[in-house]
Amino acid sequence: MSAPPGPSLSELFAAHPRDAGWAGFLLAQLDTQKPLLWVQDRMAILESGRIHPPGLPSRELIHVEARDARDALWAMEEGVRCSCLSAVIGEIWGDPRALDFTATRRLAVAAERSGTPCWLVRLGGMANLSGARMRWRIGSAPSLANELDPRAPGVPAWDAELFRSRGSPPGRWSVAHDAGRFHLVAAPGDRALGEERRLSA
């Protein structure tokens, strides 16, 4: 599976509003050497909870609690113009009016100009028209068996559906992340992944 030519805007949709598996899928793809900007609108915090910095791989976190989707999108766009960040993550709940094609297009263009990846996490939202270059639907899957202790959890895994991507065909895979790489664990969808590759934008 090929990736877009450079960092841009990607969207993540949770398979279920209460499934937070998308966080592990996303965090596994981040550069941990640079600061991370994480923006949450008020409803995302109320419905899904505030992020817990000690559980994040990045050493430096800038957290923004936005009053609403409009403020969250403004903070994301300002942040994504900064090339010193590893990425900008924005959580927005539902389908607010401010989150339209123009807003997502602006984020995509800003990310491509700065080289800073931008992830828009859609919690409880519909896959409406968007300027995102890659659009994922992520669900938690059972972790792989632990080789050292069968009673302990093993490597994390996800059901990952890429339902829109500029430059590569869509598909669905069961993937796990280990030793810094994603790899195929099963082929539940419509096509197989021929080799281990990163699934990031």
Side-chain angles (χ1 to χ4, degrees), residues 85-199:
L85 296 174
S86 61
V88 172
I89 299 171
E91 292 182 52
I92 293 180
W93 183 269
D95 297 299
R97 181 174 296 182
L99 184 54
D100 56 14
F101 178 81
T102 299
T104 55
R105 171 65 178 164
R106 287 171 63 93
L107 286 174
V109 170
E112 289 160 9
R113 287 178 176 171
S114 68
T116 301
C118 186
W119 296 85
L120 177 58
V121 181
R122 303 288 311 282
L123 302 174
M126 300 293 291
N128 301 320
L129 188 63
S130 172
R133 306 302 193 220
M134 301 183 81
R135 307 184 82 186
W136 292 92
R137 189 170 287 108
I138 304 297
S140 299
S143 62
L144 304 188
N146 189 312
E147 297 179 357
L148 301 178
D149 184 352
R151 297 170 298 177
V155 173
W158 303 271
D159 290 325
E161 179 188 1
L162 179 66
F163 62 91
R164 180 185 183 276
S165 176
R166 176 172 294 185
S168 60
R172 184 181 174 198
W173 308 270
S174 286
V175 295
H177 186 264
D178 189 24
R181 294 182 63 84
F182 285 95
H183 59 89
L184 184 70
V185 288
D190 52 0
R191 66 190 187 90
L193 185 63
E195 59 184 275
E196 296 182 4
R197 299 182 182 175
R198 284 182 59 84
L199 300 179

Side-chain angles (χ1 to χ4, degrees), residues 33-120:
Q33 302 302 312
K34 297 194 289 186
L36 169 66
L37 173 62
W38 198 311
V39 182
Q40 295 179 293
D41 73 4
R42 186 176 64 88
M43 284 304 300
I45 293 174
L46 290 175
E47 295 290 342
S48 299
R50 191 184 308 273
I51 61 173
H52 183 59
L56 301 178
S58 181
R59 296 178 183 177
E60 298 182 66
L61 171 70
I62 304 167
H63 179 241
V64 175
E65 179 178 339
R67 178 179 54 185
D68 54 26
R70 184 179 300 277
D71 287 351
L73 290 165
W74 178 85
M76 290 176 66
E77 188 175 342
E78 290 297 306
V80 83
R81 291 174 177 161
C82 181
S83 60
C84 67
L85 296 174
S86 61
V88 172
I89 299 171
E91 292 182 52
I92 293 180
W93 183 269
D95 297 299
R97 181 174 296 182
L99 184 54
D100 56 14
F101 178 81
T102 299
T104 55
R105 171 65 178 164
R106 287 171 63 93
L107 286 174
V109 170
E112 289 160 9
R113 287 178 176 171
S114 68
T116 301
C118 186
W119 296 85
L120 177 58

